Amino acid sequence: MLAIVDSTLPFLEFGKADFVLLDNVSLEEFMANLKLRFEKGRIYTYIGEVVVSVNPYRAMNIYGRDTIEQYKGRELYERPPHLFAIADAAYKAMKRRNKDTCIVISGESGAGKTEASKYIMQYIAAITNPSQRAEVERVKNMLLKSNCVLEAFGNAKTNRNDNSSRFGKYMDINFDFKGDPIGGHINNYLLEKSRVIFQQEGERSFHSFYQLVKGAPDAQLRSLHIQRDPTAYTYIKVGGQIKVLYHVQIKRDYYGWQGSRDLWCRHGTAWFVELTENSKLVSILGDLLSTKDENVEKALLYRTVATGRDVIDKQHTHQEASYGRDALAKAIYERLFCWIVGRINDIIEVKNYDVRVHGKNTVIGVLDIYGFEIFQNNSFEQFCINYCNEKLQQLFIQLVLKQEQEEYQREGIPWKHIDYFNNQIIVDLVEQQHKGIFAVLDEACMNVGKVTDEMFLQALNGKLAKHAHYTSRKLSPTDKNLEFDRDFRIRHYAGDVAYSVVGFIDKNKDTLFQDFKRLLYNSSNPVLKAMWPEGKLSITEVTKRPLTAATLFKNSMISLVENLASKEPYYVRCIKPNEVKSPLLFEHERCKHQVEYLGLLENVRVRRAGFANRQIYPRFLQRYKMISEFTWPNHDLPSDKEAVKRLLQGCGFEHDVAYGKTKVFIRTPRTIFSLEEQRAEMVKRIVLFLQKVWRGTLARMHYRRMRAALIIIRAYRRYKVKSYIREVNRRFRNVRGMKDHGKHVKWPTPPKVLRKFEEALRNIYNRSEWWAWTLIKDLSPEQLVQIRAKVATLECLKGQRADLGLQRAWEGNYLVSKKDSPGTASSFTLISSDLQRKDKFMRVLFSCNVRKINRFNKAEDRALLITDRHLYKMDPVKQYKPMKSIPLYNVTGVSISPGKDQLVVFHTKDNRDLIVCLQGMVPAGDSRIGELVGTLLSHFKR
């Protein structure tokens, strides 16, 4: 299906989300689109239903629960390209059509295959078991956690990848009829066991060794006779990469493989024992393998040979002993790895499943297998790996073509033959009976006598001299890149690879002396004993020659391909953008080489050779029906097929499409682009129209609700107000005849809407004229003047000073009082009378002794007299002689301090302010500031 990202999604696309949509199918355009998307952080791109994944070498926030929900149950083209989309497509095909499916993940080492398989497993686990059944959750957890154990024992650091899978893994996940996982099974292929004893420069052995050395507690290491330093052991320091990275992760990983850690610690530590002529080390090895010391020493130094009825012990040469030791190390690790896989299978396999009761269970297979490899030194392992990739590439092309042809036939569309590169010739070169490289290798291994790798190469040269995809230095004498009697080259679909035959014979024979098998079979440890069932054979018993490593691998690949061919396949093609693990670098030549050997351009051409896009009629209508007036919003034609025909005819595309039974087939991407452009334009109009209609609907609904609410609120408020007013009227009806004028009457509780009204009503009640008149009607004129002055003071200075003198009687003219001036009151009276005759003032407002402060900060005793016309400053020492007279109309303001002092500043129009401090009060604590201010305010108000 062609990937067309919905324009309404909040995800900006760059380039073409599907390579099938390229304007011109060429390698240059393919690479330009791949580079653009990588640089913009779009690491996934489709080729139809194939996902091309570029390793981003950085953490990306596109795998969380929110992203999972976006892809759950959606079609491929409805969301941007993603691993989750391909996983969901495989799951839907399995669940809806009851078909077994598989997801094949391929690419070279470091391209991100293992991570891709983890994300696919994570997605499948997240979307299944909605009812949270405990058994299903257990199976899901075991399937996810098995990766941790297998990575520890099967992955290693290489020069190209810090977590390279050194084995192939195919996992079947079984589902019940409801689509919930109920079990699984894991097959492993060709563990690179030679890495146990040898690593290329800059590489490491399997992670498990370093996790044990760096992660195990000290007490456990002592019990196993292991040092903490990995450089102490030859096997794991051969590659020179002994610096252990990520100490925290190493320790966490060590404690992660709980299920097999104890067995590994007992038997896996055999690699850490350096075998020399040292009885102590032999004793340690015997203890670890649960065997007798003398049996260990004999198996390492001698080989038991049966000649007729006689049995003799033949002592090894130094070379033979070293070979036997290395073979034992590799064999123990391989058997341990297979035992771990078997134990995982025992735990996750489907149990007690009855097809008659539970229905047919279906399978999703996930293949995560080593990618095509070209190293500086390519040996037997790389040859097998690249043969595996040839088989998978052949299957890929065949299945893609087969799927295309079957779909065309189902839909009644004429099939057009498509030319493509068929790598069957390379597969035959490797696996053909009697003529293939595997057959020649097996024949060399079966020959009696000393057979060398050079003899094997000579046999290849003799049988394959005329083969177009094989050459060697003998066949191409001028090719100096190949060594005589050592190298041969195969022209793979992915490129030319030169292989060194050194070690081919030994690795293919995979010889392990029977003495070691008997030794381990006789171990007192039952698990170790069960790993070596062939050790129970008698020394003189004649057995069939075991199958060689090449034959075993060829058979497993044939079985794997048959298994995959029986399922509906989905593909993830992984690409490694650079060698330095940079998230920014896109190495054009390296990526171009991978695109070529993965056959991605051929895949695009296959999809483009017929019809680039196909969709079922209901889906097509759902997406494009707004383009035509005959299909929007719904059509009245006899069928969806007829509606699609009418739509495409109206757009003028009838010559670029074909109509199948259930799907419409569109030949060129340009037609899709044109449909998408018209759809995008119509979607804008539809959205605007819908927004207008919906906003109008919302506005009318809101108006009706508001109007209804307003009517109800008004009626309710009227009722509450009337009820409140009636209650207030009832309670305060007779307050005029009460002694306290209604002070004891409790106000009714107002409704919330009338709280402010209630406050205002109380204020009106408290300030009403009848209430005030009741209070003041019996006061004398002098008391009334004093009340007005106090009210003026309170209004002006409330909260400004602590003591305003409101609680005492205000006398005003204190200098005529004998309390303040007992000896000088008569003198002040005479002076004030003279001033009254002279200045014609009506009455004295205020008089008091003060202390005057001049501009030089000198203080002097003075007296202050304020009349209704003037303010006088007097000298009490000179019989209250007036020193200064200020008309009141020249006074512009009065300032006082907020403290306990009684400082007063009289501001005048000529800016010659008078500053005094009231003093001489009797009693001494009286505050007269409030009285002074209130008297002046009351006077000026009148």
Side-chain angles (χ1 to χ4, degrees):
M1 196 61 64
L2 202 63
I4 304 167
V5 179
D6 196 326
S7 60
T8 60
L9 289 176
F11 187 93
L12 184 61
E13 278 297 328
F14 295 92
K16 298 293 191 294
D18 193 320
F19 285 111
V20 176
L21 297 177
L22 291 174
D23 294 330
N24 298 308
V25 181
S26 65
L27 185 59
E28 291 72 22
E29 286 228 9
F30 189 102
M31 294 303 300
N33 190 57
L34 187 69
K35 181 180 180 182
L36 172 64
R37 290 181 63 77
F38 171 76
E39 290 174 344
K40 297 298 183 180
R42 308 300 186 260
I43 62 172
Y44 299 120
T45 312
Y46 290 137
I47 303 177
E49 293 180 347
V50 176
V51 172
V52 179
S53 169
V54 184
N55 193 337
Y57 286 119
R58 60 188 172 96
M60 300 191 71
N61 187 27
I62 57 173
Y63 304 104
R65 186 72 209 185
D66 292 344
T67 308
I68 289 173
E69 290 299 323
Q70 290 177 15
Y71 285 87
K72 184 177 178 181
R74 305 303 291 265
E75 297 297 330
L76 277 176
Y77 56 83
E78 293 182 327
R79 288 286 183 266
H82 202 290
L83 284 174
F84 291 168
I86 211 76
D88 194 78
Y91 180 75
K92 286 202 300 272
M94 178 274 301
K95 187 176 180 180
R96 293 177 182 175
R97 303 200 298 272
N98 203 30
K99 295 187 67 173
D100 290 345
T101 61
C102 65
I103 301 174
V104 180
I105 307 171
S106 58
E108 70 174 49
S109 179
K113 300 184 300 298
T114 300
E115 289 301 308
S117 68
K118 289 180 185 176
Y119 287 130
I120 288 171
M121 294 282 290
Q122 170 192 328
Y123 179 84
I124 293 173
I127 65 172
T128 54
N129 194 28
S131 57
Q132 295 293 307
R133 287 189 295 157
E135 177 60 19
V136 176
E137 285 299 306
R138 183 192 72 82
V139 171
K140 282 167 41 174
N141 290 334
M142 292 306 301
L143 289 172
L144 293 174
K145 290 178 180 178
S146 64
N147 282 324
C148 172
V149 180
L150 295 177
E151 281 190 20
F153 288 89
N155 289 26
K157 181 191 181 305
T158 67
N159 289 322
R160 306 177 76 178
N161 186 0
D162 287 344
N163 188 34
S164 176
S165 297
R166 308 316 300 163
F167 72 104
K169 180 181 71 173
Y170 175 77
M171 174 183 284
D172 268 335
I173 309 171
N174 296 82
F175 296 83
D176 62 13
F177 70 97
K178 297 189 299 297
D180 290 334
I182 55 175
H185 186 84
I186 296 173
N187 290 324
N188 63 293
Y189 302 96
L190 192 67
L191 177 72
E192 190 189 21
K193 59 184 179 182
S194 62
R195 184 169 291 271
V196 171
I197 64 170
F198 176 79
Q199 307 93 44
Q200 295 193 40
E201 183 67 29
E203 298 191 350
R204 290 212 315 244
S205 187
F206 295 101
H207 293 329
S208 53
F209 294 106
Y210 308 94
Q211 290 171 0
L212 178 64
V213 171
K214 286 295 183 181
D218 292 336
Q220 190 169 27
L221 289 182
R222 284 195 298 271
S223 69
L224 298 172
H225 314 285
I226 295 177
Q227 301 178 38
R228 181 71 73 183
D229 181 14
T231 62
Y233 302 104
T234 303
Y235 277 166
I236 63 173
K237 72 173 183 179
V238 178
Q241 187 65 25
I242 57 175
K243 180 181 178 182
V244 179
L245 305 176
Y246 319 119
H247 283 76
V248 174
Q249 182 65 34
I250 287 287
K251 286 198 171 188
R252 185 164 63 245
D253 289 346
Y254 169 76
Y255 286 102
W257 28 282
Q258 297 281 352
S260 52
R261 194 177 70 215
D262 294 337
L263 180 71
W264 160 238
C265 291
R266 291 295 304 165
H267 307 134
T269 49
W271 292 274
F272 295 99
V273 180
E274 299 292 337
L275 296 179
T276 61
E277 294 181 6
N278 186 322
S279 59
K280 182 179 179 182
L281 294 180
V282 172
S283 176
I284 292 172
L285 186 58
D287 176 58
L288 293 173
L289 297 178
S290 301
T291 59
K292 295 180 180 179
D293 299 355
E294 57 269 22
N295 292 343
V296 174
E297 184 172 357
K298 182 180 179 182
L300 289 168
L301 300 179
Y302 295 88
R303 181 182 180 187
T304 303
V305 181
T307 57
R309 294 184 178 179
D310 297 328
V311 178
I312 61 174
D313 292 332
K314 180 184 176 183
Q315 186 170 8
H316 287 313
T317 64
H318 182 274
Q319 183 178 1
E320 291 172 336
S322 298
Y323 174 85
R325 174 201 61 199
D326 293 346
L328 175 63
K330 292 188 292 183
I332 291 179
Y333 195 86
E334 182 185 40
R335 298 284 177 108
L336 175 63
F337 186 78
C338 292
W339 179 88
I340 292 171
V341 173
R343 288 288 294 148
I344 293 174
N345 285 333
D346 289 342
I347 295 171
I348 66 175
E349 69 179 358
V350 180
K351 299 177 179 65
N352 303 322
Y353 195 90
D354 188 340
V355 176
R356 293 171 299 178
V357 176
H358 303 101
K360 179 182 181 294
N361 77 70
T362 45
V363 169
I364 293 180
V366 180
L367 178 65
D368 172 15
I369 204 160
Y370 16 64
F372 196 85
E373 291 188 343
I374 305 177
F375 292 156
Q376 187 174 356
N377 178 31
N378 300 292
S379 187
F380 179 75
E381 291 85 0
Q382 281 69 48
F383 181 76
C384 291
I385 287 171
N386 293 341
Y387 157 68
C388 166
N389 280 268
E390 290 284 359
K391 292 284 288 184
L392 293 176
Q393 175 65 11
Q394 179 198 28
L395 177 69
F396 171 68
I397 295 295
Q398 286 179 349
L399 289 181
V400 168
L401 286 173
K402 180 182 176 184
Q403 283 179 322
E404 289 282 292
Q405 186 172 2
E406 287 179 350
E407 184 167 33
Y408 279 47
Q409 290 173 350
R410 279 197 311 269
E411 294 293 326
I413 303 295
W415 172 253
K416 178 184 176 182
H417 177 72
I418 298 172
D419 292 324
Y420 66 97
F421 172 71
N422 190 341
N423 63 335
Q424 182 65 46
I425 187 173
I426 303 173
V427 174
D428 290 341
L429 171 64
V430 177
E431 70 177 20
Q432 191 175 15
Q433 293 288 340
H434 309 301
K435 296 180 181 179
I437 294 175
F438 278 161
V440 175
L441 181 59
D442 285 351
E443 184 179 347
C445 292
M446 288 187 290
N447 288 337
V448 179
K450 181 68 173 177
V451 180
T452 63
D453 296 319
E454 291 78 7
M455 295 169 64
F456 161 60
L457 182 58
Q458 290 171 10
L460 287 179
N461 291 335
K463 289 201 173 186
L464 303 173
K466 296 182 180 180
H467 200 288
H469 292 266
Y470 173 87
T471 189
S472 67
R473 185 64 183 273
K474 182 179 179 180
L475 301 177
S476 303
T478 59
D479 190 346
K480 296 184 179 180
N481 291 323
L482 300 175
E483 290 288 335
F484 278 111
D485 297 329
R486 190 192 76 178
D487 297 341
F488 68 91
R489 180 186 292 120
I490 292 181
R491 185 175 299 166
H492 288 281
Y493 81 96
D496 295 352
V497 182
Y499 298 97
S500 169
V501 297
V502 176
F504 262 60
I505 296 293
D506 286 341
K507 290 177 180 178
N508 189 46
K509 286 182 177 180
D510 199 18
T511 304
L512 181 67
F513 298 141
Q514 189 69 20
D515 302 76
F516 290 124
K517 297 177 183 178
R518 285 192 292 271
L519 172 71
L520 296 172
Y521 177 76
N522 292 310
S523 169
S524 60
N525 186 290
V527 177
L528 190 60
K529 180 183 179 73
M531 291 183 189
W532 303 88
E534 64 269 45
K536 67 180 179 180
L537 298 176
S538 170
I539 297 173
T540 58
E541 187 174 343
V542 178
T543 60
K544 291 176 63 177
R545 184 188 298 271
L547 295 177
T548 61
T551 300
L552 289 171
F553 186 71
K554 181 184 74 173
N555 293 342
S556 67
M557 284 299 102
I558 293 173
S559 174
L560 173 63
V561 167
E562 290 176 351
N563 186 13
L564 295 176
S566 68
K567 296 176 171 60
E568 183 172 319
Y570 295 85
Y571 293 93
V572 179
R573 311 295 250 174
C574 299
I575 291 178
K576 183 177 182 179
N578 58 73
E579 282 289 350
V580 294
K581 306 180 182 73
S582 168
L584 305 175
L585 180 61
F586 185 90
E587 294 180 355
H588 186 272
E589 288 303 317
R590 158 160 286 285
C591 296
K592 176 182 173 183
H593 177 64
Q594 294 173 78
V595 167
E596 289 174 338
Y597 79 64
L598 286 172
L600 299 183
L601 205 59
E602 285 77 10
N603 190 196
V604 176
R605 289 190 177 116
V606 167
R607 294 288 299 190
R608 286 280 292 266
F611 294 90
N613 178 260
R614 67 286 314 258
Q615 294 185 42
I616 60 175
Y617 293 120
R619 285 277 184 180
F620 185 88
L621 274 180
Q622 183 181 359
R623 186 166 187 84
Y624 299 114
K625 64 180 180 179
M626 69 285 298
I627 294 175
S628 172
E629 60 181 342
F630 298 104
T631 55
W632 177 259
N634 296 298
H635 69 84
D636 55 0
L637 296 166
S639 66
D640 287 346
K641 181 177 180 179
E642 292 300 320
V644 171
K645 282 185 178 181
R646 181 66 65 88
L647 187 154
L648 291 171
Q649 287 170 0
C651 295
F653 298 138
E654 65 271 15
H655 300 299
D656 197 41
V657 299
Y659 301 101
K661 296 176 182 178
T662 63
K663 294 182 180 180
V664 58
F665 289 71
I666 301 174
R667 191 178 306 280
T668 61
R670 291 191 179 278
T671 298
I672 292 295
F673 291 149
S674 179
L675 287 171
E676 283 296 311
E677 288 173 0
Q678 294 181 54
R679 177 184 181 274
E681 183 61 32
M682 290 304 300
V683 164
K684 291 178 183 177
R685 297 184 186 180
I686 293 169
V687 168
L688 289 174
F689 175 74
L690 292 177
Q691 285 178 339
K692 181 183 74 172
V693 172
W694 181 239
R695 284 172 179 166
T697 302
L698 288 178
R700 285 188 291 272
M701 290 169 58
H702 182 68
Y703 168 75
R704 284 194 292 267
R705 284 197 300 266
M706 291 292 291
R707 187 169 179 273
L710 186 60
I711 292 171
I712 294 171
I713 290 171
R714 283 176 177 172
Y716 182 72
R717 283 180 177 172
R718 281 197 297 269
Y719 164 75
K720 295 296 287 185
V721 168
K722 288 180 179 178
S723 299
Y724 177 73
I725 295 299
R726 281 197 294 267
E727 182 63 19
V728 170
N729 185 50
R730 186 187 66 79
R731 294 190 182 188
F732 289 90
R733 184 175 299 161
N734 301 315
V735 292
R736 292 180 183 274
M738 299 176 185
K739 291 183 178 180
D740 61 354
H741 305 290
K743 277 189 176 182
H744 72 283
V745 176
K746 185 178 180 181
W747 284 78
T749 302
K752 186 176 180 180
V753 71
L754 292 178
R755 284 179 184 171
K756 291 186 177 180
F757 171 76
E758 189 253 2
E759 292 178 6
L761 195 60
R762 286 196 183 205
N763 290 334
I764 292 171
Y765 172 74
N766 292 330
R767 297 177 182 176
S768 61
E769 292 184 2
W770 73 269
W771 173 254
W773 173 249
T774 302
L775 294 176
I776 66 174
K777 65 181 179 178
D778 297 325
L779 296 178
S780 65
E782 292 80 9
Q783 290 175 323
L784 195 57
V785 170
Q786 200 173 121
I787 289 294
R788 289 198 179 99
K790 288 184 177 181
V791 169
T793 299
L794 187 62
E795 290 176 349
C796 180
L797 299 180
K798 184 178 181 181
Q800 304 296 321
R801 288 181 62 91
D803 184 9
L804 297 178
L806 300 176
Q807 305 301 322
R808 61 178 181 81
W810 287 0
E811 297 181 18
N813 194 358
Y814 290 97
L815 292 182
V816 299
S817 170
K818 293 183 179 181
K819 291 191 297 183
D820 279 18
S821 307
T824 59
S826 58
S827 299
F828 175 76
T829 302
L830 291 173
I831 293 297
S832 63
S833 298
D834 291 343
L835 289 174
Q836 186 175 19
R837 287 192 300 271
K838 176 183 174 184
D839 293 334
K840 309 296 183 186
F841 65 82
M842 298 296 295
R843 64 189 183 93
V844 175
L845 301 179
F846 184 83
S847 67
C848 182
N849 288 316
V850 298
R851 193 165 184 78
K852 188 247 182 192
I853 304 166
N854 63 17
R855 58 183 175 177
F856 303 109
N857 292 327
K858 291 182 64 177
E860 296 173 331
D861 290 336
R862 293 289 184 263
L864 181 67
L865 170 64
I866 302 175
T867 69
D868 54 6
R869 289 180 177 271
H870 290 82
L871 183 152
Y872 300 96
K873 180 178 71 174
M874 301 176 171
D875 188 351
V877 178
K878 297 181 179 180
Q879 303 297 320
Y880 292 99
K881 179 183 178 181
M883 300 179 66
K884 186 175 182 179
S885 172
I886 303 173
L888 278 187
Y889 56 78
N890 278 347
V891 176
T892 60
V894 176
S895 296
I896 62 173
S897 68
K900 292 183 178 181
D901 58 76
Q902 301 202 46
L903 185 69
V904 184
V905 179
F906 294 94
H907 303 286
T908 61
K909 291 181 180 180
D910 57 2
N911 295 324
R912 298 178 66 182
D913 298 346
L914 176 63
I915 305 172
V916 297
C917 186
L918 306 185
Q919 67 174 6
M921 283 74 73
V922 178
D926 273 357
S927 173
R928 294 180 183 170
I929 289 292
E931 183 177 354
L932 171 61
V933 171
T935 300
L936 288 173
L937 283 173
S938 180
H939 170 72
F940 279 105
K941 282 182 180 180
R942 289 201 304 273

